[in-house]
Amino acid sequence: MTAQVIDGRACARALKADLLADLSRLREDGPAIGLATILVGDTYGSAAYERRLRRLAEEVGVPYRPHRLASDTPQDELVALVGRLNDDPAISGVLVLRPLPPHIDEATVFRAIDPLKDIESVHPENAGLLALGVPRFVPSTAASVFHLLDTWLDSVGENRADFYHRSLIVVVGRSNNVGKPAISLGYERQATVQSVDEWADRTTGLGRHTRWADVLIVAAGKAGLIKAEHVSDQAIVIDVGINPWTGPDGRVHMVGDVDHASVAPRARAITPVPGGVGPVTDVWLMRNTVLAARGLASALTRTPPARNAVTGTSLTDASHRTGSSHPGQSLPGSLQEAS
């Protein structure tokens, strides 16, 4: 039996309708919205993502400002650009596309992003809020993975809570923007979650772990890594990979981390590449950009907090920095709606 294909494009269309309604309300309320991306170098996957975001921004009418820097751009120049975008009132969301060149320290760049504009939760403050289950923003790719899963479960009549409580989710890949957030979202659903990466492939073998998975989420960045022997019968396979592959015709095609042809006959359901996680991720990032615009407007109108007369520190800093500018973004609620 061939796996049911989980249609990311159809899911994205439904999300886009909600996005357009959110944008209409935002424009009535007045907060500025704008998305800025920074691409250092010309990595295939990041460049493809940038092009998709540009098209979507044009479709929904969100001002979009892409920045492309040479691969040898010094780190301090990149950080300075991030600082200018932090200070720009026309920009509500800042996204630094990964991967960054080896000479740039990713953590330093991510710490430079204003947490209120950090729509992928890569700043330590936002990453911590996500880990605690009270995110300011749910990272777009990981959120899209679970939104697709939840939507598919609904379509086949599965009770989400029952399914997750009895399921083992195996996440292949531990990146800060996909793998680790996906692990957190799996925990929030009270599933059993296991994380593996390339070292498992070099030592005990990936199959020893992945063959037990009820849900296999693959975000390793290696084309065709997962084959039929890595997957159990009736597993649900979510392919996050975006990899260039040159076909016999000499043209470059986008392929995932899963060998679709060999895995589909064994799986219960599978996402395609392209047309799976990617389209949902694009819309989700725009949703986070809308959320950021509202949060920034709220922060500007908030009454300045009282300060401790001895230390000079704010008496309400803790509540402000846990994302109180984004009511309704606590993890359980946002995930039930959006993942």
Side-chain angles (χ1 to χ4, degrees):
M1 182 179 72
T2 300
Q4 182 178 348
V5 175
I6 301 175
D7 187 350
R9 291 192 174 101
C11 201
R13 284 193 293 271
L15 275 179
K16 192 186 298 183
D18 293 339
L19 172 65
L20 288 169
D22 289 342
L23 283 166
S24 178
R25 288 190 292 269
L26 183 72
R27 292 178 182 119
E28 291 175 1
D29 296 340
I33 181 171
L35 170 63
T37 61
I38 304 174
L39 174 60
V40 185
D42 194 25
T43 304
Y44 177 86
S46 296
Y49 188 23
E50 183 198 61
R51 289 192 297 271
R52 297 201 316 263
L53 289 175
R54 186 194 302 267
R55 287 196 297 268
L56 178 59
E58 291 175 354
E59 286 178 28
V60 300
V62 170
Y64 178 48
R65 197 182 303 170
H67 296 265
R68 285 206 172 196
L69 304 178
S71 59
D72 59 353
T73 297
Q75 179 173 295
D76 58 352
E77 289 187 18
L78 173 57
V79 171
L81 173 57
V82 170
R84 292 193 296 274
L85 294 173
N86 288 342
D87 295 337
D88 189 338
I91 296 298
S92 60
V94 176
L95 171 64
V96 178
L97 293 162
R98 300 177 69 251
L100 291 170
H103 70 281
I104 293 177
D105 179 56
E106 187 176 88
T108 298
V109 175
F110 290 167
R111 282 196 298 269
I113 303 173
D114 181 345
L116 294 178
K117 295 188 176 186
D118 171 33
I119 51 178
E120 280 288 60
S121 289
V122 293
H123 187 283
E125 178 181 310
N126 289 334
L129 291 172
L130 176 66
L132 290 171
V134 287
R136 177 175 282 128
F137 306 106
V138 183
S140 58
T141 303
S144 299
V145 165
F146 281 94
H147 182 71
L148 283 167
L149 269 171
D150 288 349
T151 301
W152 182 81
L153 289 170
D154 292 345
S155 74
V156 297
E158 286 262 20
N159 179 280
R160 296 185 192 180
D162 289 347
F163 175 83
Y164 286 118
H165 293 171
R166 68 173 187 265
S167 292
L168 170 63
I169 298 174
V170 176
V171 181
V172 182
R174 293 173 179 161
S175 65
N176 289 325
N177 61 323
V178 182
K180 291 177 182 177
I183 293 165
S184 294
L185 302 192
Y187 285 148
E188 283 299 324
R189 283 167 168 71
Q190 298 179 330
T192 301
V193 183
Q194 185 176 2
S195 168
V196 296
D197 63 8
E198 62 181 298
W199 294 105
D201 195 30
R202 299 178 185 180
T203 54
T204 58
L206 276 176
R208 177 182 175 185
H209 307 276
T210 59
R211 278 193 295 271
W212 291 98
D214 300 293
V215 177
L216 183 60
I217 300 169
V218 191
K222 185 175 180 181
L225 173 66
I226 298 299
K227 298 179 172 56
E229 62 265 26
H230 298 112
V231 180
S232 65
D233 290 336
Q234 296 299 291
I236 302 169
V237 182
I238 309 294
D239 189 354
V240 182
I242 302 175
N243 307 286
W245 176 75
T246 304
D249 56 0
R251 298 177 60 187
V252 177
H253 303 268
M254 185 185 299
V255 298
D257 292 349
V258 175
D259 179 11
H260 192 282
S262 69
V263 171
R266 298 198 66 171
R268 181 182 178 190
I270 190 170
T271 58
V273 176
V277 176
V280 182
T281 298
D282 301 345
V283 180
W284 202 275
L285 190 80
M286 291 295 176
R287 284 175 56 134
N288 281 353
T289 305
V290 172
L291 188 64
R294 291 201 177 277
L296 287 162
S298 176
L300 287 172
T301 58
R302 187 182 296 111
T303 302
R307 306 194 74 81
N308 185 303
V310 176
T311 65
T313 57
S314 167
L315 298 179
T316 57
D317 274 350
S319 63
H320 168 57
R321 302 315 290 179
T322 54
S324 59
S325 60
H326 295 288
Q329 223 1 44
S330 61
L331 189 56
S334 67
L335 291 181
Q336 287 169 7
E337 170 203 349
S339 55

